Amino acid sequence: MEDQIHTLKQWIENSKYTVIFTGAGMSTESGLPDFRSASTGIWKDQNPMKLASTDAMKNNRYGFIEFYQNRVEEVEKYKPHFGHEVLAQWEQEGKLKAIITQNIDGFHQEAGSKNVVELHGTLRKCHCSECKETFPILRFMEEKLSCECGGFIRPSVVLFGERLMEVSLIHAVRETKQAELFIVLGSSLNVSPANFFPIEAKENEAKLVIINMEPTEMDDLADLVIPQRKIGEVLQELSQ
Ligand code: APR
């Protein structure tokens, strides 16, 4: 295991353009549960389609509102951990050019990272489903959910059944195409189109690294896999 860390340290030092791709496993050490961890994942005993989908927003509105109000409360209760701070430090040192994240907790920006692509949106804002006007998430938490235009005000996250924001996709493609080193932190790589980016990086001859507690869908594609290690600890070792 030690030589894997040593190898990755060298790759990071030698890379002119490193991009990091994060999933929910990046925030579990802050206290936020992920989605598919065998024992604690949110989707272990809840159906995402009944809570985090356009159908849920239409046909299970109270369940939808309650689910996202709980998630906002959790995000506001916890904060970024040392690993988020390491990534922000690397960006300042020029060792990391961009973060592409599936996470909606805003922890990368809170830790100081600047160039962050939020593929699945953010829980820090809400917007009207009709006129798209955006508001601080407080309006959703206070349940002032009717927009002046008559639309429904919902969290600014990408729901199952929705397309990703064009501007985020374009930004993520641009960063991925430039990557010499593409490091996945804490994602099962189960969900498309987000899981297209590690493949795209590989197709652009980047070195692909996957650091994840459990096996992922793309381990056999990677140049280096560091399994069964906590991301916080690995980032600590890499930053020494
Ligand atoms: N260190 C290393 N790996 C970890 C840690 C940790 N501390 N904690 C969790 N993991 C790993 C788990 O083993 C799991 O494989 O992180 C992975 C998280 O995978 P998922 O729970 O599937 O989360 P993610 O890949 O981000 O899900 C993608 O699915 O529900 C949607 O929109 C939601 O953005 C989310 C998307």
Side-chain angles (χ1 to χ4, degrees):
M1 192 65 80
E2 280 321 299
D3 54 357
Q4 285 186 321
I5 299 287
H6 180 71
T7 302
L8 182 50
K9 245 184 191 176
Q10 283 188 319
W11 287 2
I12 293 170
E13 289 304 328
N14 298 337
S15 167
K16 290 188 207 57
Y17 210 99
T18 299
V19 173
I20 287 189
F21 179 94
T22 62
M26 181 74 215
S27 296
T28 53
E29 289 167 68
S30 290
L32 289 178
D34 67 15
F35 297 96
R36 295 174 186 83
S37 267
S39 51
T40 55
I42 291 178
W43 301 145
K44 196 173 76 61
D45 47 19
Q46 297 184 91
N47 177 351
M49 293 309 147
K50 292 225 175 322
L51 294 166
S53 65
T54 46
D55 181 58
M57 184 165 69
K58 234 188 342 266
N59 304 320
N60 176 24
R61 182 151 287 189
Y62 290 107
F64 172 87
I65 292 167
E66 188 188 19
F67 174 70
Y68 278 107
Q69 286 181 332
N70 290 342
R71 298 215 52 217
V72 172
E73 278 161 12
E74 275 190 337
V75 164
E76 289 174 348
K77 191 165 90 180
Y78 298 115
K79 57 182 182 47
H81 61 75
F82 178 76
H84 290 100
E85 290 160 15
V86 167
L87 300 185
Q89 183 66 32
W90 286 0
E91 184 183 43
Q92 279 168 13
E93 293 164 358
K95 284 164 72 171
L96 170 59
K97 297 297 183 192
I99 293 175
I100 301 171
T101 189
Q102 300 171 95
N103 299 339
I104 56 178
D105 52 39
F107 282 176
H108 286 302
Q109 295 93 320
E110 199 177 326
S113 291
K114 301 272 180 283
N115 189 14
V116 180
V117 188
E118 292 180 308
L119 285 180
H120 293 164
T122 176
L123 276 177
R124 303 292 175 126
K125 290 184 281 196
C126 55
H127 67 269
C128 170
S129 49
E130 297 303 324
C131 71
K132 309 300 178 206
E133 186 174 354
T134 298
F135 307 92
I137 195 66
L138 183 64
R139 176 154 184 172
F140 178 75
M141 297 307 282
E142 291 176 341
E143 298 200 17
K144 295 171 186 156
L145 304 179
S146 300
C147 181
E148 288 61 35
C149 80
F152 171 63
I153 290 174
R154 38 71 59 91
S156 295
V157 299
V158 177
L159 300 173
F160 284 106
E162 284 183 318
R163 298 169 58 81
L164 275 59
M165 298 283 285
E166 196 63 29
V167 62
S168 305
L169 281 171
I170 292 166
H171 189 176
V173 166
R174 191 175 66 238
E175 294 299 347
T176 302
K177 282 193 180 312
Q178 297 181 81
E180 281 182 21
L181 180 60
F182 193 93
I183 305 173
V184 175
L185 297 177
S187 178
S188 60
L189 297 175
N190 249 318
V191 170
S192 66
N195 61 6
F196 149 86
F197 290 101
I199 299 168
E200 176 72 8
K202 200 70 196 122
E203 281 170 7
N204 283 292
E205 266 114 68
K207 280 200 185 75
L208 176 61
V209 179
I210 298 177
I211 303 174
N212 202 63
M213 194 61 77
E214 296 161 333
T216 79
E217 309 270 317
M218 294 183 186
D219 285 357
D220 51 6
L221 202 64
D223 298 279
L224 176 65
V225 177
I226 302 181
Q228 290 156 30
R229 289 293 311 275
K230 287 191 149 196
I231 287 165
E233 285 168 13
V234 172
L235 289 175
Q236 174 136 36
E237 288 167 25
L238 287 170
S239 63
Q240 274 154 2

